[in-house]
Amino acid sequence: MDEQARKTALRMIPYGLYVLTAGTQDTAIASATINWVTQTSFAPPLLALGIKTDSAIYDVARRTGDLVLNILGQGQGGLAFAFFKPVGYADGKLGGQDIRRAGNGAPILTAAPAAVELKVRHVVELGDHHTFVAEVTNVHLNREITGRPDEAVLHMKDLGEKVFYGG
């Protein structure tokens, strides 16, 4: 396979940007910016998420099974970059960001326009990112979304010409 052609073709798949959080006040808290996310079922509502196996969020997600997918909005590139690296939880803030707790205990970033509570139902253990299949158990809109919801999302392409993840 031509490696450059592979990268180019796979980078043509559009990706939104999200901050995945897991953990509660009684467990370790972890977070990471992710972009390999898609809905896979209406009933029950299921999402598939690619999570890097050597990340802290992977370990906490496997242990707790309770996650929050914080959906980043247009203009929140700084927030995406902030969670590309591990961040700490201190003084009720995650990486310096205000949070509130979801029903499952995981952090919701109040700056994100929307958040989706998830319960892990299955993990496909293939590759350097495992695929978590998770059921949507609740949703939170932190502000009103006007127009097409899919146009309100921060996309990988919004981070600049040299920022890629995939391929």
Side-chain angles (χ1 to χ4, degrees):
M1 178 181 339
D2 179 304
E3 290 301 307
Q4 190 56 49
R6 176 186 58 85
K7 285 183 180 182
T8 298
L10 293 177
R11 287 177 176 170
M12 291 173 75
I13 299 169
Y15 296 113
L17 286 163
Y18 315 89
V19 174
L20 186 64
T21 58
T24 68
Q25 291 175 323
D26 301 325
T27 67
I29 294 175
S31 59
T33 298
I34 68 169
N35 68 323
W36 290 340
V37 175
T38 193
Q39 184 172 352
T40 63
S41 173
F42 290 121
L46 298 174
L47 301 182
L49 307 91
I51 303 176
K52 197 165 191 283
T53 58
D54 65 355
S55 65
I57 190 73
Y58 179 90
D59 291 333
V60 177
R62 286 300 298 244
R63 257 187 290 117
T64 68
D66 293 315
L67 310 170
V68 167
L69 185 70
N70 295 276
I71 302 170
L72 300 183
Q74 288 291 316
Q76 291 190 309
L79 197 53
F81 281 117
F83 287 89
F84 276 150
K85 60 187 182 322
V87 300
Y89 175 73
D91 301 321
K93 294 183 179 226
L94 183 60
Q97 297 294 314
D98 290 331
I99 64 164
R100 62 185 170 87
R101 296 293 178 162
N104 65 15
I108 295 173
L109 299 176
T110 59
V116 179
E117 287 186 53
L118 301 166
K119 181 69 170 173
V120 175
R121 297 297 181 204
H122 186 73
V123 179
V124 179
E125 296 180 351
L126 294 171
D128 59 3
H129 288 63
H130 289 173
T131 302
F132 284 61
V133 178
E135 184 173 350
V136 175
T137 58
N138 204 353
V139 296
H140 306 269
L141 295 178
N142 294 328
R143 64 178 183 246
E144 183 180 351
I145 307 300
T146 58
R148 284 183 59 112
D150 57 347
E151 291 180 355
V153 176
L154 179 67
H155 292 96
M156 180 67 69
K157 66 181 179 161
D158 299 328
L159 298 184
E161 292 294 319
K162 300 202 184 270
V163 179
F164 290 105
Y165 195 77

